[in-house]
Amino acid sequence: PILVVEDNPETIFAYEKYFQESNYQMISARTLNAAKQALVAFQPIAIMLDILLEKENTWAFLLETNSNETTRNIPILVISVVDNEKQVMARGAEGFLIKPVDRFSLLNKLSRLVKQGRQQKLLLIDDDKTWRYVLKQLLVHIPLDILEAADGREGIRLAQVENPDCIVLDFNMPELSGIEVLNQLKSNGSTSTIPVIVNTSKQLEPEEQKFLAQHTVAILSKESLSQEVALAQLREALRKAGLFLDT
């Protein structure tokens, strides 16, 4: 969960839309008292803080959160209409954005804070070596450690051993199909929460479409697209999975 400390209803509504179809759950708090209760109840992985909450001492909250042993490791992203980045960073914030903020900038910044200091891992499970090469070329400018598996069994093994941040899974494979691999991943506690993006050249049946929509963050087509379109779709899917994409 991401704790959003914000008192403007329109801004909260915008953030709710931004988090839809992402890998994050938004918990909102309109007062600092509610925020402190949410910190205990939900143990968020990051905090988004409006530093100018009406009638609230948010500067004290920022300092307190960073000095408290139970909360000091939670990264805080301050979002403000005033450009006071130097002040908030000096008081312990780990990120800053100016309002209004767009969806890409917000999700990218959050993902960078959550994964700071750790190389992101992406696992490609596809029996087609050529297609794995195509995907790697599309991802060459994104900071990723890319792992490869040429079949479903090896993919499941690597997922358990390497715990990647995201998996791109081919739907049509011999031996274990994409659905069988997905079922095994989701039924294993060590891999059940890893976001999965399905890549397919198959025309999906309605039941397959419904199943994949419930268990994956995105469904991408292998059908011939321009490189620009394919890259845009892949980047959007990776953002939904919670990866940061800038270098």
Side-chain angles (χ1 to χ4, degrees), residues 100-150:
V101 60
D102 63 85
R103 181 175 182 268
F104 169 78
S105 299
L106 178 60
L107 294 182
N108 213 44
K109 178 70 77 170
L110 278 174
S111 295
R112 176 175 286 279
L113 292 180
V114 169
K115 294 177 171 62
Q116 57 187 318
R118 181 171 63 83
Q119 177 72 353
Q120 300 178 115
K121 292 182 185 179
L122 179 69
L123 172 58
L124 306 180
I125 306 177
D126 197 315
D127 63 309
D128 187 339
K129 183 178 180 179
T130 301
W131 191 253
R132 295 200 308 271
Y133 175 80
V134 169
L135 284 176
K136 287 191 295 182
Q137 291 303 111
L138 287 175
L139 298 167
V140 69
H141 296 299
I142 297 177
L144 291 171
D145 182 7
I146 298 179
L147 311 170
E148 297 181 61

Side-chain angles (χ1 to χ4, degrees), residues 17-240:
K17 291 182 64 177
Y18 289 172
F19 282 114
Q20 286 176 1
E21 299 183 355
S22 77
N23 203 42
Y24 298 119
Q25 175 193 8
M26 173 178 153
I27 306 295
S28 63
R30 299 192 180 191
T31 66
L32 293 184
N33 185 50
K36 292 173 184 178
Q37 293 178 17
L39 278 171
V40 175
F42 298 104
Q43 299 181 339
I45 58 173
I47 300 170
M48 288 166 49
L49 174 65
D50 177 5
I51 203 66
L52 298 176
L53 288 184
E54 188 174 353
K55 299 179 181 179
E56 297 274 13
N57 190 347
T58 47
W59 293 98
F61 174 80
L62 180 59
L63 288 169
E64 178 185 334
T65 304
N66 277 287
S67 61
N68 189 308
E69 186 175 341
T70 61
T71 57
R72 66 187 178 192
N73 291 324
I74 303 174
I76 299 176
L77 171 61
V78 170
I79 304 177
S80 175
V81 294
V82 178
D83 188 358
N84 45 17
E85 180 175 5
K86 289 183 179 179
Q87 295 95 314
V88 299
M89 299 296 280
R91 287 166 174 78
E94 297 191 41
F96 178 83
L97 290 173
I98 285 277
K99 287 183 178 180
V101 60
D102 63 85
R103 181 175 182 268
F104 169 78
S105 299
L106 178 60
L107 294 182
N108 213 44
K109 178 70 77 170
L110 278 174
S111 295
R112 176 175 286 279
L113 292 180
V114 169
K115 294 177 171 62
Q116 57 187 318
R118 181 171 63 83
Q119 177 72 353
Q120 300 178 115
K121 292 182 185 179
L122 179 69
L123 172 58
L124 306 180
I125 306 177
D126 197 315
D127 63 309
D128 187 339
K129 183 178 180 179
T130 301
W131 191 253
R132 295 200 308 271
Y133 175 80
V134 169
L135 284 176
K136 287 191 295 182
Q137 291 303 111
L138 287 175
L139 298 167
V140 69
H141 296 299
I142 297 177
L144 291 171
D145 182 7
I146 298 179
L147 311 170
E148 297 181 61
D151 60 63
R153 297 189 191 282
E154 175 65 6
I156 292 169
R157 188 191 71 80
L158 279 175
Q160 293 172 343
V161 172
E162 297 289 345
N163 190 31
D165 296 283
C166 181
I167 296 171
V168 177
L169 173 65
D170 180 24
F171 188 80
N172 306 304
M173 291 187 294
E175 296 185 22
L176 282 183
S177 70
I179 280 190
E180 289 171 319
V181 173
L182 188 57
N183 274 324
Q184 291 195 35
L185 290 172
K186 294 304 179 183
S187 63
N188 187 312
S190 66
T191 57
S192 60
T193 61
I194 301 174
V196 176
I197 298 166
V198 163
N199 213 14
T200 181
S201 56
K202 180 180 183 293
Q203 184 68 34
L204 298 174
E205 298 294 333
E207 289 186 2
E208 294 173 332
Q209 186 83 30
K210 181 179 179 181
F211 176 83
L212 293 177
Q214 292 173 339
H215 295 91
T216 67
V217 297
I219 305 170
L220 303 181
S221 174
K222 285 186 175 182
E223 294 303 313
S224 56
L225 299 169
S226 70
Q227 182 172 331
E228 292 77 12
V229 173
L231 178 58
Q233 292 180 350
L234 182 57
R235 288 175 67 90
E236 176 61 19
L238 292 173
R239 280 196 292 269
K240 288 181 180 179

